[in-house]
Amino acid sequence: MEEAPDIQTELENKFGTGLLSPQGTRDDISTFWVPKDRILETLRYLKRDIPGPFAMLYDLTAIDERLRNHRDGQPESDFSVVYHLLSFDRNQDVRLKVALKGDRPRLPSSVSVWPAANWYEREVYDMFGVTFDGHPNLRRILMPPTWKGHPLRKEHPARATEMGIFQLTEEKAVAEEAAARFRPEEWGMKPAVGDVDYMFLNMGPQHPSTHGVLRIMLALDGEQIVDAALDIGYHHRGAEKMAERQSWHTFIPYTDRIDYLGGVMNNLPYVLAVEKLAGIRAPDKAKVIRVMMAEFFRIASHLVFYGTFGQDLGALSPVFFTFNDRERVFDVVEAVTGGRMHPMWFRIGGVAQDLPNGWERLVKEFVDYFPPRLAEYDKLLMQSPILKARAKGVGSYTREDAVEWGVTGPGLRACGFEWDFRKKRPYSGYEQFQFDIPVGQNGDCYDRAVVRVEEMRQSLRIIEQCLKNMPEGPYMADHPLATPPLKKRTMHDIETLITHFLGVSWGPVIPPGEASYGIEATKGNNGYYLISDGNTGAYRARIRTPSFAHLQMIPYIGRGLLVPDLVALLGSIDYVLADVDR
Amino acid sequence: MCEAARSILVVVGVLAGAIAIAAGLIWVERRLLALWQDRLGPNRVGPFGLLQVMADMIKIMTKEDWVPPFADRAVFVLAPAIIVVTALLSFAIIPFAPGIGVVDLNVGLLFFLAMSSLGVYSVAFAGWASGNKYSLLGGLRAAAQMLSYEVFMGLSLMGVVILAGSFNLRTIVEAQEDMWFCIPQFLGLVIFVIAGVAETHRLPFDLPEAETELVAGYHTEYSGMKFGMFFVGEYIGVTLISALVVTLFFGGWNGPVLPPIVWFLLKTSLFICLFILLRATFPRPRFDQLLGFGWKVMLPVSLANLLVTGAVTLARG
């Protein structure tokens, strides 16, 4: 990160010393504990008044601290709520923590500062039972409304076998159905205004264009959307809870399934965060391989977007073409990793294997094959007057809106904001690659598509550079915590053998600490905030996904659109429900 | 006696032919779409997958005939019948070849327009009677779309009527012996084809059943053979519009060497393929754009076409 003003001094100048208590973390993000009654004014100051404001609420989450052993120097706390803010002007992050005591703690809501805090606070309430006073609609978000308990609390069981046998009795089924019923007043919607009666349309969770199990409840005047409410959580699988019971190494396959179109792209922020905690530096070859495979998956994911976006707008054929091309990407992925959609191939300290013999030819073939196809799709889709009429000027938002709601990735760049984490905060050696950041101008559905199409071309450029400049050397770091550990010396001395045995059976013991790492994933910024308590697994793993933030914005942009526009909007956002619900 | 037997034979032949072609089209469309989409399509049942249609038919016939409890039963059952009946009735006026045709109506073209207007009831009833919000939206869209496109579909044909001096399709075909009407009536042709696509609500004008928006629009709640009727009705519609395009603009059965009926069928098949190609190519416009295009572009153009055709015909005396 570039030289930034010292945030601590600035905050102390404003609020006086003694308010903040800084905490050291393994990443470079300044972290402060703020008293509960001062948090809102601190947030407000950081968002609005400080020079180079922290305009984006990057993440808001909580930690159940009750069983944590290594909390050296941190204020006493049962539950800590964490605000992660991002400043584009400074290219700097700041993390604020609030210590809360008691079993059912309360905290003032920050929705008045950031509208985007709405869903995040609901999630913290749902997962930890922390109540946010003044929240407009504090209800469960990921778990069903009938759920007992708060899953991410340490006392909540993680395995189904700990919970007794599940039976869906008649009464239970009826009660669940009743709980899922849409009641407009609960979402602040009115059934009628004046002499206009609205029609409420339940779109999803099973609908051809919600791209998965998403439920949108629409209040319609004719076909015009008056208001919308989103119900998510149908794809919730408790990835964050699973991280707490898996070892550092065995959690990697779960990350693949977060953004299930992103493949190894999902592994990257996780292994980077773990490497930061453990102090591992991946060797150059591993970095370049990671970049190459991640870019292949960016192409694969954008191809799915391209085809389904066309389909959402009624074009039947593109989806077949783009899925065909995606197969070619998978041919390469398959040869390199052995897997296709979920190769779970990155490792703590490197990658699983060296590249296979003859990989250059496969990659070269794809690099030659793909550009003419893209040119053809331009004619078929992007230049089609009907598609332009459907997508231009539809579902647009400004750069300010995007920052306010936590939009990252192509959705942000479509508003004309040249912000790509690969360029602004290079990781895994991206600073050594030449590529452009495509931007749009109007932030509408069409520009979002334009940005993604151009990104595929840029990804291809990066892959070509990987092909030409693949370094020699090891593909795994020579570090005791790299997993699976290198085996070459295990048969020579007993110490190495023991370390290897423990590293393989228990998995590595990562030193206590906290680190987060966000990367430019296929849909936007995907970040992992990991807390190690000096154990073989994460004490807490927070997964910050781009789609969560993007979906929250839909009611805001969707008002006034027609139903077909909403479909175009959903397609252009390019979310993955597993990425939303985790 | 012989004359009566012959008419019955023709009637049965046309009916069977239209239904057989419509059913066969399901296979043709799936294979052609597959070809254009880099796929194989149905190729397993029988030679070239030809028997796929039979398999589909058996499946659809043996399916449970289910009417949702919340539907308006009588109307729900009636709706799919209407579309098939009106489309099939329209075939009555098509002259397939000299001497082959069901009736020789002197208001043939008007009869076709009347039947296609009646077809609107089918989708409107289906959308209304299903008791489903998606169906309702689909039914509303269908009604608005078909009513609007009906207007200039009719107007676009008036140029042909002026040139031929008759509403009788047989006379119109005979009037094209020297020059097909697609040349003097090029605008009329374009408008009629566009309106025809809209009438049969196929892509890009498939808004009433827009899958990605309205699930399946007006036939969301239909299954089994009732759905099959809508499905076949659509293909009968496609065949009908193609046959009309050939009759009105491409000289009907006229053509050298080959027998007239072969010419007619060849030309019709060509236009059916065009319909399928359209489906493989275009995205779908939005509802208001579709109606706006209709009233703001198609209507003035078809009126201008009518005016110019009338003026030229008058000037020539």
Side-chain angles (χ1 to χ4, degrees), chain A residues 200 209 223 313 317 390, chain B residues 133 141 212 280 284 286 289:
Chain A
F200 291 100
S209 56
E223 278 207 34
L313 297 179
S317 302
R390 283 294 306 276
Chain B
K133 290 170 183 173
R141 283 183 178 190
T212 47
R284 177 192 308 123
R286 207 172 57 205
Q289 293 166 345

Side-chain angles (χ1 to χ4, degrees), chain B residues 27 42-52:
Chain B
W27 176 82
N43 65 347
R44 294 293 143 134
V45 193
F48 308 106
L50 266 168
L51 296 181
Q52 183 68 46

Side-chain angles (χ1 to χ4, degrees), chain A residues 200-203 207-209 223 311-317 320-321 324 373 384 386 389-390 564-565 567, chain B residues 33 36-39 133-134 136-137 141 203-204 211-213 215 279-286 288-289:
Chain A
F200 291 100
L201 185 68
N202 203 6
M203 204 166 155
H207 187 279
S209 56
E223 278 207 34
Q311 185 153 44
D312 285 340
L313 297 179
L316 275 182
S317 302
F320 293 102
F321 302 142
N324 226 329
R373 302 285 293 193
S384 154
I386 299 180
R390 283 294 306 276
D565 292 337
V567 172
Chain B
L33 276 183
W36 287 318
Q37 292 171 347
D38 299 347
R39 300 182 287 127
K133 290 170 183 173
Y134 289 110
L136 179 65
L137 287 176
R141 283 183 178 190
L203 254 172
E211 185 201 331
T212 47
E213 294 153 26
V215 189
R279 185 171 174 206
T281 315
F282 286 116
R284 177 192 308 123
R286 207 172 57 205
D288 53 328
Q289 293 166 345

Side-chain angles (χ1 to χ4, degrees), chain A residues 43 56-62 81-86 93-96 110 114 116-117 119-121 123-124 240 406 516 525-529 540-545 548-549 582:
Chain A
L43 287 174
M56 182 183 275
L57 178 69
Y58 174 78
D59 198 9
L60 194 171
T61 186
V81 172
V82 185
Y83 301 83
H84 188 150
L85 315 180
L86 194 156
D93 284 13
V94 67
R95 204 184 277 132
L96 299 180
S110 55
W114 270 285
W119 277 21
Y120 288 106
E121 290 186 346
E123 192 188 345
V124 170
E240 293 178 10
S516 73
N525 188 297
N526 182 10
Y528 280 75
Y529 173 40
R540 167 98 176 94
R542 163 67 182 170
I543 309 169
R544 191 272 179 199
T545 56
F548 187 83
R582 287 151 282 136

Side-chain angles (χ1 to χ4, degrees), chain B residues 136-154:
Chain B
L136 179 65
L137 287 176
L140 285 175
R141 283 183 178 190
Q145 174 176 328
M146 290 172 84
L147 287 175
S148 317
Y149 277 70
E150 203 103 283
V151 174
F152 25 86
M153 180 186 240

Side-chain angles (χ1 to χ4, degrees), chain B residues 39 70 88 131 195 198 204 241 276 283 287 294 303 312:
Chain B
R39 300 182 287 127
F70 43 81
L88 281 177
I241 298 290
I276 298 171
F287 189 53
L303 281 174
V312 169

